[in-house]
Amino acid sequence: MQTAAFPFLLVYVLRRCWRDAGYLRGLAERFGFLPRRYHRTASGAVWLHAVSVGEALASLGLARRLRQEMPWAPLYVSCGTLAGRALAEEKFAGLALVFHAPFDYAFAVRRILRTLKPAVVVIVETEIWPNLFRETVRSGGRLVIVNGRISDRTAARYRRLRWFFSAALGHAAAILVQSPRDAERYLAAGAPPERLRVAGNLKYDFEPREAVPPAAVARFLDAVRPRAVWIAASTMPPAQPGDPDEDGVVIEAFLALRASHPGLLLILTPRKPERFEAAAEKLERAGVRFARRSRLEADAAPDAEALLLDSMGELGGLFRFADVVFMGGSLASRGGHNILEPAFFGKPVIAGPHMENFAAIAEEFGRAGALVRIGSAGELAAAVGELLASPGRREEIGRRARECAEAQRGAAERA
């Protein structure tokens, strides 16, 4: 079957390289060829697979614990996306060697396993690759899933394809999931019950003091001196007909608010790098004076009303400056994004109706009065404006959010 599918893989690779020349970098690694410095002559290594930016950030605390507990064990981190790889190279510097995850073809996976000789392969969240799972066990290594989760959107598919996923999950020596709900869904997908346990969410182990704001952004804020800062985090495009474009919604809400809240600064952060240019065009068409993070070193912009954060991995360091945060992916049908980082800074977060990817966290925060939920794009401006006008309410919601986040620490220790 894989032989028959190989031509389609080549077509996929060619299309990716044509659309983004950056995909060529590290392409050999995707076929299993690692640089010479990765070659091992002894066993005992740990291979940590974190597919993209969110998983890489979540697993950073675990990687540090592994380095403390087993300083003698080589540590490797693989990522599936270009953005994840770039972030991991920065965040895991001095901790681990980073590479692109191989395609899930037996020949590529085997070549990586022969090179690294891992004693343990750690899969972060929901990356179920049958060949990787099977070949890890065949090579004599153990496979562990940590921070496992199955979203509301994908639960039915996992249950329907139980015959496929149960074979792969049977290779895992341990499966550590985020919540009891995730445990139920892994069981429905065919996970062996004796290897399954609830261990919490690694994202609760985020350390605010380690999220340092970029110096160029700090200088920009000193020059602009905003009266209030609204961060629109990880905004997303429509996922299906009828969905709003979150960049457009945020810009429209900002235009409605800036007259009543002079000195308000918007920090707009699109989720995907390929959307940075489109966001810049929307800001220009709306007549919003803005600066781009990528050009702060060259351009002074003391009259800017907005900052377009066209960079990756820097958002976490900016939440400390926020008065209000809107979490993207929650108005469009994208399942939402992680609200824990702003919560650790004690910031009030607004989210739309779609938080399926973080349902347990959103429900817990909602019960505690630690999250503001809105039902549609039309409610965003009013929700932001109400919080900006109510310092006491902002502080109270932020305090509750920080308490909720800090109460759930310890997942990295358990893993």
Side-chain angles (χ1 to χ4, degrees):
M1 182 181 295
Q2 286 209 324
T3 301
F6 192 72
F8 295 98
L9 173 64
L10 295 180
V11 171
Y12 167 80
V13 169
L14 289 172
R15 288 186 62 188
R16 286 298 307 268
C17 292
W18 179 74
R19 291 169 57 190
D20 186 352
Y23 197 78
L24 283 168
R25 178 177 176 261
L27 183 58
E29 295 173 1
R30 299 185 188 273
F31 287 98
F33 296 95
L34 295 180
R36 184 174 297 277
R37 69 181 185 278
Y38 290 67
H39 287 238
R40 298 288 306 160
T41 57
S43 61
V46 177
W47 171 5
L48 186 66
H49 176 57
V51 62
S52 193
V53 171
E55 292 82 3
L57 288 172
S59 60
L60 186 57
L62 175 59
R64 288 172 174 154
R65 285 307 313 265
L66 288 171
R67 176 58 61 232
Q68 292 171 6
E69 296 293 330
M70 300 184 294
W72 44 267
L75 182 60
Y76 302 93
V77 174
S78 65
C79 296
T81 67
L82 298 179
R85 166 71 183 268
L87 179 83
E89 286 185 332
E90 174 192 347
K91 300 295 185 182
F92 288 85
L95 279 175
L97 292 175
V98 178
F99 63 97
H100 283 298
F103 295 121
D104 197 46
Y105 275 71
F107 73 88
V109 171
R110 288 171 185 166
R111 188 172 285 121
I112 297 286
L113 291 169
R114 286 196 298 267
T115 299
L116 302 183
K117 299 180 176 65
V120 182
V121 175
V122 182
I123 308 295
V124 182
E125 295 200 7
T126 314
E127 286 288 297
I128 302 176
W129 297 108
N131 285 310
L132 173 58
F133 283 31
R134 182 180 62 250
E135 296 301 328
T136 295
V137 176
R138 283 184 176 178
S139 72
R142 304 296 290 277
L143 186 129
V144 177
I145 297 173
V146 302
N147 223 44
R149 70 178 177 94
I150 295 177
S151 69
D152 293 350
R153 186 186 306 174
T154 60
R157 183 167 73 245
Y158 278 87
R159 190 166 54 249
R160 188 170 60 251
L161 297 177
R162 177 189 174 96
W163 60 271
F164 173 80
F165 290 112
S166 61
L169 291 171
H171 293 298
I175 302 173
L176 310 184
V177 299
Q178 296 181 14
S179 70
R181 178 182 300 175
D182 293 306
E184 293 174 3
R185 291 173 176 176
Y186 267 88
L187 287 173
E194 70 277 7
R195 303 177 198 173
L196 186 67
R197 61 179 291 193
V198 177
N201 191 333
L202 289 174
K203 291 177 180 177
Y204 278 110
D205 290 340
F206 172 75
E207 288 291 346
R209 64 178 180 273
E210 296 177 358
V212 179
V217 177
R219 288 194 295 271
F220 165 79
L221 292 173
D222 284 342
V224 173
R225 295 188 179 279
R227 294 183 183 179
V229 175
W230 170 25
I231 294 181
S234 300
T235 51
M236 296 288 284
Q240 59 188 24
D243 272 356
D245 176 88
E246 292 183 340
D247 289 335
V249 170
V250 166
I251 292 170
E252 183 179 346
F254 175 74
L255 293 175
L257 289 167
R258 64 179 178 181
S260 56
H261 297 277
L264 174 63
L265 176 75
L266 169 66
I267 299 181
L268 178 60
T269 311
R271 176 75 170 182
K272 302 289 185 180
E274 57 267 26
R275 297 185 56 248
F276 292 159
E277 290 302 324
E281 291 174 5
K282 290 184 177 74
L283 287 165
E284 288 177 358
R285 286 198 302 269
V288 177
R289 301 186 304 275
F290 72 99
R292 297 183 65 145
R293 162 67 183 97
S294 59
R295 299 176 186 171
L296 287 182
E297 300 289 0
D299 298 341
D303 64 338
E305 301 172 289
L307 172 66
L308 175 60
L309 196 66
D310 55 348
S311 61
M312 298 299 295
E314 295 184 336
L315 177 60
L318 300 185
F319 285 126
R320 69 181 70 241
F321 300 117
D323 293 282
V324 180
V325 175
F326 162 67
M327 187 52 64
S330 63
L331 288 174
S333 305
R334 297 284 182 175
H337 297 300
N338 179 22
I339 63 174
L340 293 174
E341 289 186 1
F344 276 117
F345 284 104
K347 304 301 180 179
V349 179
I350 299 169
H354 298 289
M355 286 294 289
E356 296 87 353
N357 291 342
F358 299 89
I361 294 175
E363 288 174 8
E364 179 186 351
F365 276 55
R367 287 193 301 269
L371 177 65
V372 177
R373 300 296 296 270
I374 57 175
S376 67
E379 299 175 33
L380 180 60
V384 174
E386 182 179 347
L387 288 175
L388 290 174
S390 307
R393 184 162 182 257
R394 287 202 312 266
E395 184 178 344
E396 177 63 17
I397 294 172
R399 180 187 64 79
R400 293 181 181 186
R402 182 166 47 231
E403 289 176 354
C404 283
E406 290 179 344
Q408 300 295 329
R409 287 187 180 275
E413 179 74 22
R414 288 187 287 274

